[in-house]
Amino acid sequence: MASGPWFGLLGPLQVRLDDRLVPVRAGKHRALLAALLLRAGRVVPVGDLVAFLWGQAPPARTRGTLQTYVMRLRQLLGDPSLIRTTADGYRMVVPPERVDVHRFTTTAARASAAARAGDLGTAADLFAEALGLWRGQALADVPSSALRDDEVPRLAERLMIAHEERNDVELALGRHERLVPVLRGLTADHPLRERFWAQLMLALHRGSRQAEALEAFRRADHVLGEQLGVEPGDELRGLHQKILVGDPGLALPRRGRDPDVPRGLPPDVPGFVGRAAAVDRITRLIAPDGSRTAVPIVVVAGVAGVGKTALVTHVAHRLRDRFPDGLLYADLRGYTAGPPAETIDVLSRFLRALGVPPERIPGDVDECGSLFRSLLAQRRMLIVLDNAAAPDRVRPLLPGVAACPVLVTSRSDLRGLIAVDGARPVPLDVLTPAEAQTLLGRSGPAAAELARRCGHLPLTLGIAAASIGDEPVGHYLAALGDRTPARLAHERQSPATRRLFGLLGVVPGGDFDAQAAANLADVPVHEAAESLDRLAAVRLLVRHGDRYGFHDELARFARESEVADGAAARVRLLEYYAATVDRCAEVLYPDLVRLPAPERRHPRVPAVDTPAHARAWLDAELHNLTSAIRSAAEHGPAALSWRLADGLRGYLWIGRHVAEWLCSAHYGLVAAHDQRDRAGEAAMHRNLGTLHRRLGDFGTSISHYTRAVELHRLDGDRDAEAGVRAGLGLVRLEAGDLAAARDELEACLALQRETGGARSGEAGVLVGLGALAVETGEPAEAVVLLTEALSISTAHGLRVAGISARTLLGLALHLTGGNGDEHLAEALRSSVASGFTDAAARVLETTAYVRLRAGDHGAALSLADRALTELRDGADQRITTDVLTVMAAANRGLGALDLADAQYQQASTKARAIGYRAGLARALSGLAGLRRVQGELAESLMLADQAAALTAELGLCLPAELASPPLGHPETHTQAPPFG
């Protein structure tokens, strides 16, 4: 868990103690606490505090009143030592990194330094972390004009500089496409900041969107002239001229080209030795040949430790420029103690690397393979399949074109692949004596003897070379005796390091870091890190950055080492994973109902304080977590399998990791069923219900949710039943069964209130009912429901429900003649800060619709374009459908009838494909109106009738004129909260 309190000033004042939010309700208390936190660790004189709290009108007893406020703050914080009294003031004793303002300043400075040093990847990560700390305007609810006048402009300027520097880094990394929506938002929010306009123009130009880049300049010129009466500055005008003439200097520097081309190879082996003949043969076998139609397949076969992976990795790095569309790598884990890599998982990873949105990746191996081969049909790529144990592990991963050769490594020659698929063998023998001595870095008779004792195997030679150091070879040989270099290297370690090495053999995943190793061995993290470094130094482990892994043979050696508490260590590791997943869940999606965590020992959990931290940890550990779930299901403790799977549900939703989600939920469900744990089994059915809801497979989703309800009833757990029924209601809402959705949600709300459960559980249900009220033409009722939902969400820190409530409330207020812009703006800010791209797209689409109703077609189109860009990397097809409908209506209003026609038809096609009937009704209504304008009255009437029939069937409230609507978009909009 994170240690110590956490204080937030970059937004409304926030105090978090022991992972719970502590409200500071009195305005003067917030002002006092903010003044102390802004100068954390320094004495703030009484005179300054008086000025911050009362300005020019202090009370008669300022010092006594101030002392009372300090006393109450100490009581609120629960630790009087946090606020120290000094001779002339007060001092807040809290580490700067526990205050978001100081964390932001430090992290942004580190990001700038990394950028100046050329470490752009680190800079991008640090800027994302720094910017993710902002939750709104600094000191938003602190009632002190003096503090705001002093601090807010300074912080706002630092924020702008951080945005500018982050944008420069992202542009240098070649991420111009994903940066466009960010820059559109920044130019809209800060239209007088010319640097943002310049960055937007450059991003559009590098994305081959020259017309849009020039249009961005025109808008900047207009804004600056209208608001300031000035022309754009030299930088902006110079960039405009360069875009006009196609200046090659605007192109992305070579190092940043093609950022999305897959390059998933392990690092090349430094000081690669020998193998000239093998390198030459492999190069010739996969060389382009215009007459060849079959896929070139090369099988590099040899005994364990002979250097197969090193060879193919070296060849792939040498030849990477021949394959402009990239390289794909997968370790098939054919010789590990655990299960081999699942074919569906490998294909899913390949498809994601090729840019397929996760929710479009099929759940069937054959369908995945077909999609994979079709995507490679027009590409030139190299595929490396490492550690294949059998031909049937390779065949589903083969492309269908000769332009994509495949390198396979195996301990066998895979004769079936040679006989049936035309693979060409490259047998790999041990190194020659001369090559072996080169790898050792020594020569002479003693070195020759050591090479012989190592069997001329690169793996063993590498361990010997790393272990020998400056020691004479003869001394090393004497110490070696009849042992292997690996065993000698192991024996030379300290007892603690030897123990850790043996325990690492039980790790179910492919790699690990110091935090995982510390929990495994039950030692402090710094001790584990020191032991890992010692093991890596003698090549018993392989290190990549801050992560470590095994060669298969050394993993076997580790498992064979005699360690007393291996079984207990494995449980400790699984508990560490579960505890950290729980912590990430609390940060990323605190409103998602999860299984209660049991009382257990407290693992050493890394500090996870921000959504960026949580996503980074989960991204790094995802494959280890799915392996842990399978390990727990098959070898126990079984309960950890379904608890881990349940804890990952929100992350898998956000990241759309469909294959991993399906696999983890399956193992969790089987384990819970075998253990006859109804609560666990119900949680896994709910998990699968959420997954299939995400995929738009509403029938399967309803089946799983219904089974979860049945299991909770058998257990008599009415609170849990209510939670599942909320999800069931939301599925029915999305499926367009509005009457059933209302019945389910109202029954759920009644059940929640009857059982006296926490009010936090009501927020999502109220949002669903609010969405229903909007859909059925009752916006005033929606305002009441959504206001209550927002109040509950705010009180309980429910980020997801709060975003959904604000989005719908903003719309409902506009529909009732009010103004919901503030709610929509806050929903967008929160979505972006949390990394919820679907939610951000939905807010943008909703705001676009509001602008459309007001007749501002240009603004609507711009907002819808931003929404569509948010969805490019993996779209929720329902949101995409609605965005297309809004874009079509906007283009119709702007007179671009052909474009509107295409977008309406695209929206209706998508809606039919995914069973989104409400979206289909909207698209058909808009298309009917367009056909009337185009003079095609018969088709207009036919489309209007189809829309009217759908409207009546679903219970939607579409105004009668929508059969030929003025704007092409009904006054209805569904936005259910995502997690069920």
Side-chain angles (χ1 to χ4, degrees), residues 22-66:
V22 177
V24 183
R25 294 188 171 85
K28 295 297 186 188
H29 294 174
R30 293 197 297 275
L32 174 59
L33 182 57
L36 293 170
L37 288 169
L38 285 164
R39 293 156 180 79
R42 291 181 287 156
V43 174
V44 186
V46 168
D48 289 356
L49 292 173
V50 170
F52 291 145
L53 267 65
W54 292 287
Q56 301 301 315
R61 296 183 61 257
T62 51
R63 185 173 288 274
T65 304
L66 185 61

CSV table of all heavy atoms in Angstrom, one decimal, residues 22-66:
chain,number,residue,atom,x,y,z
A,22,VAL,N,-10.9,11.9,2.8
A,22,VAL,CA,-11.3,12.6,4.0
A,22,VAL,C,-11.8,14.0,3.5
A,22,VAL,O,-11.0,14.8,3.1
A,22,VAL,CB,-10.2,12.7,5.0
A,22,VAL,CG1,-10.7,13.5,6.2
A,22,VAL,CG2,-9.7,11.3,5.4
A,23,PRO,N,-13.1,14.3,3.6
A,23,PRO,CA,-13.6,15.6,3.2
A,23,PRO,C,-13.1,16.7,4.2
A,23,PRO,O,-13.2,16.5,5.4
A,23,PRO,CB,-15.1,15.4,3.2
A,23,PRO,CG,-15.4,14.3,4.1
A,23,PRO,CD,-14.2,13.4,4.1
A,24,VAL,N,-12.8,17.8,3.6
A,24,VAL,CA,-12.5,19.0,4.4
A,24,VAL,C,-13.6,20.0,4.1
A,24,VAL,O,-13.5,20.7,3.1
A,24,VAL,CB,-11.1,19.6,4.1
A,24,VAL,CG1,-10.8,20.8,5.0
A,24,VAL,CG2,-10.0,18.5,4.2
A,25,ARG,N,-14.6,20.0,4.9
A,25,ARG,CA,-15.8,20.7,4.5
A,25,ARG,C,-15.8,22.2,4.7
A,25,ARG,O,-16.4,23.0,4.0
A,25,ARG,CB,-17.0,20.1,5.3
A,25,ARG,CG,-17.3,18.7,4.9
A,25,ARG,CD,-18.6,18.2,5.5
A,25,ARG,NE,-19.0,16.9,5.0
A,25,ARG,CZ,-18.5,15.7,5.4
A,25,ARG,NH1,-17.6,15.7,6.4
A,25,ARG,NH2,-18.9,14.6,4.8
A,26,ALA,N,-15.0,22.7,5.7
A,26,ALA,CA,-15.0,24.2,6.0
A,26,ALA,C,-14.1,24.9,5.0
A,26,ALA,O,-12.9,24.5,4.9
A,26,ALA,CB,-14.6,24.4,7.4
A,27,GLY,N,-14.5,25.9,4.4
A,27,GLY,CA,-13.7,26.7,3.5
A,27,GLY,C,-12.4,27.2,4.0
A,27,GLY,O,-11.4,27.1,3.4
A,28,LYS,N,-12.5,27.8,5.3
A,28,LYS,CA,-11.3,28.3,5.9
A,28,LYS,C,-10.3,27.2,6.2
A,28,LYS,O,-9.1,27.4,6.1
A,28,LYS,CB,-11.6,29.1,7.2
A,28,LYS,CG,-12.5,30.3,7.0
A,28,LYS,CD,-11.7,31.4,6.1
A,28,LYS,CE,-12.6,32.7,6.1
A,28,LYS,NZ,-12.0,33.6,5.1
A,29,HIS,N,-10.8,26.0,6.5
A,29,HIS,CA,-9.9,24.9,6.8
A,29,HIS,C,-9.2,24.5,5.5
A,29,HIS,O,-8.0,24.2,5.5
A,29,HIS,CB,-10.6,23.7,7.3
A,29,HIS,CG,-11.2,24.0,8.7
A,29,HIS,ND1,-12.0,23.1,9.3
A,29,HIS,CD2,-11.1,25.0,9.5
A,29,HIS,CE1,-12.4,23.5,10.5
A,29,HIS,NE2,-11.8,24.7,10.7
A,30,ARG,N,-9.9,24.5,4.3
A,30,ARG,CA,-9.3,24.2,3.1
A,30,ARG,C,-8.2,25.2,2.7
A,30,ARG,O,-7.2,24.9,2.2
A,30,ARG,CB,-10.4,24.1,2.0
A,30,ARG,CG,-11.3,23.0,2.1
A,30,ARG,CD,-12.1,22.7,0.8
A,30,ARG,NE,-12.9,23.8,0.4
A,30,ARG,CZ,-14.1,24.0,0.8
A,30,ARG,NH1,-14.7,23.2,1.7
A,30,ARG,NH2,-14.8,25.0,0.3
A,31,ALA,N,-8.5,26.5,2.9
A,31,ALA,CA,-7.6,27.6,2.6
A,31,ALA,C,-6.3,27.4,3.5
A,31,ALA,O,-5.2,27.5,3.0
A,31,ALA,CB,-8.2,28.9,2.8
A,32,LEU,N,-6.5,27.1,4.7
A,32,LEU,CA,-5.3,27.0,5.6
A,32,LEU,C,-4.5,25.8,5.2
A,32,LEU,O,-3.2,25.9,5.1
A,32,LEU,CB,-5.8,26.8,7.1
A,32,LEU,CG,-4.7,26.5,8.1
A,32,LEU,CD1,-3.6,27.6,8.1
A,32,LEU,CD2,-5.4,26.3,9.5
A,33,LEU,N,-5.1,24.7,5.0
A,33,LEU,CA,-4.4,23.5,4.6
A,33,LEU,C,-3.7,23.7,3.3
A,33,LEU,O,-2.5,23.3,3.1
A,33,LEU,CB,-5.4,22.3,4.5
A,33,LEU,CG,-4.7,20.9,4.2
A,33,LEU,CD1,-3.6,20.6,5.2
A,33,LEU,CD2,-5.8,19.8,4.1
A,34,ALA,N,-4.3,24.3,2.3
A,34,ALA,CA,-3.7,24.6,1.0
A,34,ALA,C,-2.5,25.5,1.2
A,34,ALA,O,-1.4,25.2,0.6
A,34,ALA,CB,-4.7,25.2,0.0
A,35,ALA,N,-2.6,26.5,2.0
A,35,ALA,CA,-1.4,27.4,2.2
A,35,ALA,C,-0.2,26.6,2.8
A,35,ALA,O,0.9,26.9,2.4
A,35,ALA,CB,-1.8,28.5,3.1
A,36,LEU,N,-0.5,25.7,3.7
A,36,LEU,CA,0.6,25.0,4.4
A,36,LEU,C,1.2,24.0,3.4
A,36,LEU,O,2.4,23.7,3.3
A,36,LEU,CB,0.1,24.3,5.6
A,36,LEU,CG,-0.3,25.2,6.8
A,36,LEU,CD1,-1.1,24.4,7.9
A,36,LEU,CD2,0.9,25.9,7.4
A,37,LEU,N,0.3,23.3,2.6
A,37,LEU,CA,0.8,22.3,1.6
A,37,LEU,C,1.6,22.9,0.5
A,37,LEU,O,2.6,22.3,0.0
A,37,LEU,CB,-0.4,21.5,1.1
A,37,LEU,CG,-1.1,20.6,2.0
A,37,LEU,CD1,-2.4,20.1,1.4
A,37,LEU,CD2,-0.2,19.4,2.4
A,38,LEU,N,1.2,24.1,0.0
A,38,LEU,CA,2.0,24.7,-1.0
A,38,LEU,C,3.4,25.0,-0.6
A,38,LEU,O,4.3,25.1,-1.5
A,38,LEU,CB,1.3,26.0,-1.5
A,38,LEU,CG,0.0,25.8,-2.3
A,38,LEU,CD1,-0.8,27.0,-2.4
A,38,LEU,CD2,0.4,25.3,-3.7
A,39,ARG,N,3.6,25.1,0.7
A,39,ARG,CA,5.0,25.4,1.2
A,39,ARG,C,5.4,24.2,2.2
A,39,ARG,O,6.0,24.4,3.2
A,39,ARG,CB,5.0,26.7,2.0
A,39,ARG,CG,4.8,27.9,1.0
A,39,ARG,CD,4.2,29.1,1.8
A,39,ARG,NE,4.1,30.2,0.8
A,39,ARG,CZ,3.0,30.4,0.0
A,39,ARG,NH1,2.1,29.4,0.0
A,39,ARG,NH2,2.9,31.4,-0.8
A,40,ALA,N,5.0,23.0,1.8
A,40,ALA,CA,5.3,21.8,2.6
A,40,ALA,C,6.8,21.8,3.0
A,40,ALA,O,7.6,22.0,2.2
A,40,ALA,CB,4.9,20.6,1.9
A,41,GLY,N,7.0,21.6,4.3
A,41,GLY,CA,8.4,21.5,4.8
A,41,GLY,C,9.0,22.8,5.2
A,41,GLY,O,10.1,22.9,5.7
A,42,ARG,N,8.2,23.9,4.9
A,42,ARG,CA,8.7,25.2,5.2
A,42,ARG,C,7.8,25.9,6.2
A,42,ARG,O,6.6,25.7,6.2
A,42,ARG,CB,8.9,26.1,4.0
A,42,ARG,CG,10.0,25.6,3.0
A,42,ARG,CD,10.1,26.6,1.8
A,42,ARG,NE,9.0,26.4,0.9
A,42,ARG,CZ,8.5,27.3,0.1
A,42,ARG,NH1,9.1,28.5,0.0
A,42,ARG,NH2,7.5,27.0,-0.7
A,43,VAL,N,8.3,26.8,7.0
A,43,VAL,CA,7.5,27.6,7.9
A,43,VAL,C,6.7,28.6,7.2
A,43,VAL,O,7.3,29.4,6.4
A,43,VAL,CB,8.3,28.2,9.0
A,43,VAL,CG1,7.5,29.1,9.9
A,43,VAL,CG2,9.1,27.2,9.9
A,44,VAL,N,5.4,28.7,7.4
A,44,VAL,CA,4.6,29.7,6.9
A,44,VAL,C,4.2,30.7,8.0
A,44,VAL,O,3.5,30.3,8.9
A,44,VAL,CB,3.3,29.2,6.3
A,44,VAL,CG1,2.5,30.3,5.5
A,44,VAL,CG2,3.6,28.0,5.3
A,45,PRO,N,4.7,31.9,7.9
A,45,PRO,CA,4.5,32.9,9.0
A,45,PRO,C,3.0,33.1,9.2
A,45,PRO,O,2.2,33.0,8.3
A,45,PRO,CB,5.2,34.2,8.5
A,45,PRO,CG,6.2,33.7,7.5
A,45,PRO,CD,5.6,32.5,6.9
A,46,VAL,N,2.6,33.5,10.5
A,46,VAL,CA,1.2,33.7,10.8
A,46,VAL,C,0.7,34.9,10.0
A,46,VAL,O,-0.5,34.8,9.5
A,46,VAL,CB,1.1,34.1,12.3
A,46,VAL,CG1,-0.3,34.6,12.7
A,46,VAL,CG2,1.4,32.8,13.2
A,47,GLY,N,1.5,35.9,9.8
A,47,GLY,CA,1.0,37.0,9.0
A,47,GLY,C,0.6,36.6,7.6
A,47,GLY,O,-0.4,37.1,7.0
A,48,ASP,N,1.4,35.7,6.9
A,48,ASP,CA,1.0,35.2,5.6
A,48,ASP,C,-0.3,34.4,5.7
A,48,ASP,O,-1.2,34.5,4.8
A,48,ASP,CB,2.1,34.3,5.0
A,48,ASP,CG,3.4,35.1,4.7
A,48,ASP,OD1,3.3,36.4,4.8
A,48,ASP,OD2,4.4,34.5,4.3
A,49,LEU,N,-0.4,33.5,6.7
A,49,LEU,CA,-1.6,32.7,6.8
A,49,LEU,C,-2.9,33.6,7.0
A,49,LEU,O,-3.9,33.4,6.4
A,49,LEU,CB,-1.5,31.8,8.0
A,49,LEU,CG,-0.5,30.6,7.7
A,49,LEU,CD1,-0.3,29.8,9.0
A,49,LEU,CD2,-0.9,29.7,6.6
A,50,VAL,N,-2.7,34.7,7.8
A,50,VAL,CA,-3.9,35.6,8.0
A,50,VAL,C,-4.3,36.2,6.6
A,50,VAL,O,-5.4,36.3,6.3
A,50,VAL,CB,-3.5,36.7,9.0
A,50,VAL,CG1,-4.5,37.8,9.0
A,50,VAL,CG2,-3.3,36.1,10.4
A,51,ALA,N,-3.3,36.7,5.9
A,51,ALA,CA,-3.6,37.3,4.6
A,51,ALA,C,-4.2,36.3,3.6
A,51,ALA,O,-5.2,36.6,2.9
A,51,ALA,CB,-2.3,37.8,3.9
A,52,PHE,N,-3.8,35.0,3.7
A,52,PHE,CA,-4.4,34.0,2.8
A,52,PHE,C,-5.8,33.7,3.2
A,52,PHE,O,-6.7,33.5,2.3
A,52,PHE,CB,-3.5,32.7,2.9
A,52,PHE,CG,-2.2,32.8,2.2
A,52,PHE,CD1,-1.1,32.1,2.7
A,52,PHE,CD2,-2.0,33.6,1.1
A,52,PHE,CE1,0.1,32.2,2.1
A,52,PHE,CE2,-0.8,33.7,0.5
A,52,PHE,CZ,0.3,33.0,1.0
A,53,LEU,N,-6.1,33.7,4.5
A,53,LEU,CA,-7.4,33.3,4.9
A,53,LEU,C,-8.4,34.5,4.9
A,53,LEU,O,-9.6,34.3,4.6
A,53,LEU,CB,-7.4,32.7,6.4
A,53,LEU,CG,-7.2,31.2,6.4
A,53,LEU,CD1,-5.9,30.8,5.8
A,53,LEU,CD2,-7.4,30.7,7.9
A,54,TRP,N,-8.0,35.7,5.3
A,54,TRP,CA,-8.9,36.8,5.4
A,54,TRP,C,-8.6,38.0,4.6
A,54,TRP,O,-9.4,39.0,4.6
A,54,TRP,CB,-9.0,37.2,6.9
A,54,TRP,CG,-9.6,36.1,7.8
A,54,TRP,CD1,-10.9,35.8,7.9
A,54,TRP,CD2,-8.9,35.3,8.7
A,54,TRP,NE1,-11.0,34.8,8.8
A,54,TRP,CE2,-9.8,34.4,9.3
A,54,TRP,CE3,-7.5,35.2,9.1
A,54,TRP,CZ2,-9.5,33.5,10.3
A,54,TRP,CZ3,-7.2,34.2,10.0
A,54,TRP,CH2,-8.1,33.4,10.6
A,55,GLY,N,-7.5,38.0,3.9
A,55,GLY,CA,-7.2,39.2,3.0
A,55,GLY,C,-7.0,40.4,3.9
A,55,GLY,O,-6.3,40.4,4.8
A,56,GLN,N,-7.8,41.5,3.5
A,56,GLN,CA,-7.6,42.8,4.1
A,56,GLN,C,-8.6,42.9,5.3
A,56,GLN,O,-8.7,44.0,5.9
A,56,GLN,CB,-7.9,43.9,3.1
A,56,GLN,CG,-6.9,43.9,1.9
A,56,GLN,CD,-5.5,44.0,2.4
A,56,GLN,OE1,-5.1,44.9,3.2
A,56,GLN,NE2,-4.6,43.2,1.8
A,57,ALA,N,-9.4,41.9,5.6
A,57,ALA,CA,-10.4,42.0,6.7
A,57,ALA,C,-10.3,40.9,7.7
A,57,ALA,O,-11.2,40.1,7.8
A,57,ALA,CB,-11.8,42.1,6.0
A,58,PRO,N,-9.2,40.8,8.4
A,58,PRO,CA,-9.1,39.7,9.4
A,58,PRO,C,-10.0,40.0,10.6
A,58,PRO,O,-10.4,41.1,10.9
A,58,PRO,CB,-7.6,39.9,9.8
A,58,PRO,CG,-7.2,41.3,9.6
A,58,PRO,CD,-8.0,41.7,8.4
A,59,PRO,N,-10.4,38.9,11.3
A,59,PRO,CA,-11.2,39.0,12.5
A,59,PRO,C,-10.4,39.7,13.7
A,59,PRO,O,-9.2,39.8,13.6
A,59,PRO,CB,-11.6,37.6,12.8
A,59,PRO,CG,-10.5,36.8,12.3
A,59,PRO,CD,-10.1,37.5,11.0
A,60,ALA,N,-11.1,40.0,14.7
A,60,ALA,CA,-10.5,40.7,15.8
A,60,ALA,C,-9.5,39.8,16.5
A,60,ALA,O,-8.4,40.2,16.9
A,60,ALA,CB,-11.6,41.1,16.9
A,61,ARG,N,-9.8,38.5,16.7
A,61,ARG,CA,-8.9,37.5,17.3
A,61,ARG,C,-8.3,36.6,16.3
A,61,ARG,O,-8.5,35.4,16.3
A,61,ARG,CB,-9.6,36.7,18.4
A,61,ARG,CG,-10.1,37.6,19.6
A,61,ARG,CD,-10.8,36.7,20.6
A,61,ARG,NE,-9.9,35.7,21.2
A,61,ARG,CZ,-9.9,34.4,20.9
A,61,ARG,NH1,-10.7,34.0,20.0
A,61,ARG,NH2,-9.0,33.6,21.5
A,62,THR,N,-7.4,37.2,15.4
A,62,THR,CA,-6.9,36.3,14.3
A,62,THR,C,-6.1,35.2,14.8
A,62,THR,O,-6.2,34.0,14.4
A,62,THR,CB,-6.1,37.2,13.4
A,62,THR,OG1,-5.1,37.9,14.1
A,62,THR,CG2,-6.9,38.2,12.6
A,63,ARG,N,-5.2,35.4,15.8
A,63,ARG,CA,-4.3,34.4,16.2
A,63,ARG,C,-5.1,33.3,16.9
A,63,ARG,O,-4.8,32.1,16.6
A,63,ARG,CB,-3.2,34.9,17.1
A,63,ARG,CG,-2.1,33.8,17.5
A,63,ARG,CD,-1.0,34.5,18.3
A,63,ARG,NE,-0.1,35.3,17.5
A,63,ARG,CZ,0.9,34.8,16.8
A,63,ARG,NH1,1.2,33.5,16.8
A,63,ARG,NH2,1.7,35.6,16.1
A,64,GLY,N,-6.0,33.6,17.8
A,64,GLY,CA,-6.8,32.6,18.4
A,64,GLY,C,-7.7,31.8,17.4
A,64,GLY,O,-7.8,30.6,17.6
A,65,THR,N,-8.3,32.5,16.5
A,65,THR,CA,-9.1,31.8,15.5
A,65,THR,C,-8.2,30.9,14.6
A,65,THR,O,-8.6,29.7,14.3
A,65,THR,CB,-9.8,32.8,14.6
A,65,THR,OG1,-10.5,33.7,15.4
A,65,THR,CG2,-10.7,32.1,13.6
A,66,LEU,N,-7.0,31.4,14.3
A,66,LEU,CA,-6.1,30.6,13.5
A,66,LEU,C,-5.7,29.3,14.3
A,66,LEU,O,-5.6,28.2,13.7
A,66,LEU,CB,-4.8,31.4,13.1
A,66,LEU,CG,-3.8,30.7,12.2
A,66,LEU,CD1,-4.5,30.4,10.9
A,66,LEU,CD2,-2.6,31.6,12.0
